[in-house]
Amino acid sequence: MGFVKVVKNKAYFKRFQTKFRRRREGKTDFYARKRLVTQEKNKYNTPKYRLIVRFTNKDIICQVAYARIEGDVIVCAAYAHELPRYGLKVGLTNYAAAYCTGLLLARRLMKKYNLDSLYQGQTEVDGEEYNVEALDDQPGPFRAFLDVGLVRTTTGARVFGAMKGAADGGIDIPHSTKRFPGYDSESGEFSADVHRQHIFGLHVGEYMRKLQEEDDELFKKQFSQYIKTGITPDNIEATYKKIHAAIRADPEPKSRGPREVKVKRWNRAKMTKAQREDRVKQKKAAHMKKLQEEDD
């Protein structure tokens, strides 16, 4: 039998159903979103909070949000571009920075709901699994579910760094250690020490040492900003410890203040009635003056 070209006939087009716009754009996984957003009926209008983590080329976005028909409502947000205020000026998209951003979001959220004194989270970071426990006769911990978007949830992915930071900051997020760095899928064992190294950027420090020994010129080129800010393989852990302490001390967002915006115009601004009448008077007067000069 020869090649038969499949022609889309009238029946095909009559039954065709257009996908949602954000599916067509390749931005939203609606299979996952449906399960993250749907709340149980017996909870009535209680919001189902999501910890949203997104990565761009130069930034990390962490948000706590819940869904409404009109659109998602953002409760709290933190960004990696805020970290220079706490002492981290380089490497704003790695695993350690993701942890810091998640921690900043959690502490900011706790402060907003006056839970910061009740749920301190994991103050001594050891890389082990940590889950917030509810206190007796006190408000329960804030619960949120991780929303990873379209990212591949591989072992050691940075989204889990942000989640770990939020969990250590006091947010109750259901999770396990199976996707943290240091988990071995073959043996089923989890090395908390490997995870701790990633949280404090020690894996970056190890690579810095290796590169410096092999090719000093490439090291100076690749880690020029680290050298400029004084971060070395020896002090990288201490630097991140200071950043964590600074975040816990003051998680509040700082307003940039009113910005002076100079509006550009390429056309004339609209005149009032009085201005228009005055303009006509001036034109008449100028015309009459011109006529008198010609007569003279």
Side-chain angles (χ1 to χ4, degrees):
M1 186 178 174
F3 176 75
V4 178
K5 184 181 177 184
V6 178
V7 180
K8 289 176 180 174
N9 55 16
K10 187 178 179 182
Y12 168 82
F13 289 106
K14 281 182 80 173
R15 293 170 64 84
F16 184 81
Q17 186 174 3
T18 309
K19 290 183 171 64
F20 291 152
R21 176 179 57 80
R22 287 186 64 88
R23 172 61 191 90
R24 297 198 305 271
E25 291 171 355
K27 290 180 178 177
T28 301
D29 176 4
F30 281 99
Y31 184 87
R33 181 180 168 81
K34 181 186 172 186
R35 285 150 183 79
L36 281 166
V37 161
T38 308
Q39 181 64 289
E40 292 176 18
K41 290 284 185 182
N42 63 359
K43 292 184 181 175
Y44 300 97
N45 210 27
T46 307
K48 192 171 187 177
Y49 295 102
R50 308 193 321 276
L51 171 66
I52 301 166
V53 182
R54 300 288 183 271
F55 288 82
T56 67
N57 287 344
K58 294 184 178 179
D59 206 0
I60 303 170
I61 303 157
C62 289
Q63 298 172 331
V64 170
Y66 63 92
R68 285 288 176 262
I69 290 172
E70 313 83 58
D72 284 10
V73 180
I74 308 299
V75 174
C76 190
Y79 303 88
H81 67 245
E82 296 178 73
L83 296 177
R85 183 158 67 92
Y86 298 100
L88 183 64
K89 295 178 181 178
V90 289
L92 296 179
T93 54
N94 59 24
Y95 192 93
Y99 179 91
C100 292
T101 312
L103 180 66
L104 177 60
L105 174 75
R107 296 317 299 162
R108 190 171 285 175
L109 186 72
M110 294 294 110
K111 187 122 184 167
K112 181 177 180 178
Y113 290 116
N114 298 319
L115 296 170
D116 51 331
S117 57
L118 292 173
Y119 298 103
Q120 292 282 341
Q122 180 77 303
T123 51
E124 290 295 323
V125 182
D126 54 6
E128 291 281 1
E129 184 181 3
Y130 174 78
N131 291 297
V132 185
E133 292 181 6
L135 301 173
D136 295 332
D137 302 323
Q138 295 289 350
F142 189 97
R143 171 167 274 218
F145 300 92
L146 181 65
D147 182 341
V148 297
L150 302 174
V151 193
R152 294 271 179 177
T153 51
T154 53
T155 303
R158 294 174 298 169
V159 284
F160 300 112
M163 183 195 73
K164 177 62 176 166
D168 283 1
I171 298 177
D172 180 19
I173 307 167
H175 67 280
S176 70
T177 58
K178 286 189 176 182
R179 288 298 179 199
F180 288 146
Y183 180 79
D184 185 11
S185 57
E186 290 182 6
S187 63
E189 292 177 357
F190 172 64
S191 172
D193 186 53
V194 173
H195 192 201
R196 186 184 179 280
Q197 287 176 17
H198 278 70
I199 290 169
F200 286 110
L202 294 172
H203 62 301
V204 177
E206 194 179 320
Y207 177 63
M208 285 171 78
R209 275 200 195 89
K210 184 185 173 187
L211 193 64
Q212 194 172 13
E213 289 169 8
E214 292 176 359
D215 191 343
D216 190 52
E217 197 173 311
L218 182 62
F219 165 75
K220 285 176 182 175
K221 183 182 176 184
Q222 190 165 331
F223 289 100
S224 60
Q225 295 301 311
Y226 279 74
I227 295 163
K228 191 177 176 181
T229 51
I231 295 175
T232 63
D234 298 320
N235 70 5
I236 197 165
E237 184 179 342
T239 304
Y240 278 108
K241 279 184 176 178
K242 285 178 187 174
I243 293 159
H244 295 169
I247 287 169
R248 285 181 176 276
D250 180 24
E252 290 287 330
K254 291 286 183 285
S255 62
R256 286 186 283 184
R259 291 196 301 173
E260 291 183 14
V261 179
K262 196 174 181 181
V263 180
K264 291 183 180 179
R265 282 194 80 111
W266 285 272
N267 58 349
R268 181 189 276 176
K270 192 175 180 181
M271 293 190 293
T272 62
K273 188 173 184 289
Q275 287 173 331
R276 290 199 302 272
E277 287 173 352
D278 186 53
R279 184 164 170 261
V280 171
K281 281 179 187 176
Q282 287 177 18
K283 279 189 172 184
K284 281 181 179 178
H287 184 64
M288 294 302 291
K289 190 178 179 182
K290 189 179 177 183
L291 288 174
Q292 281 178 352
E293 287 172 358
E294 285 175 1
D295 290 342
D296 294 342

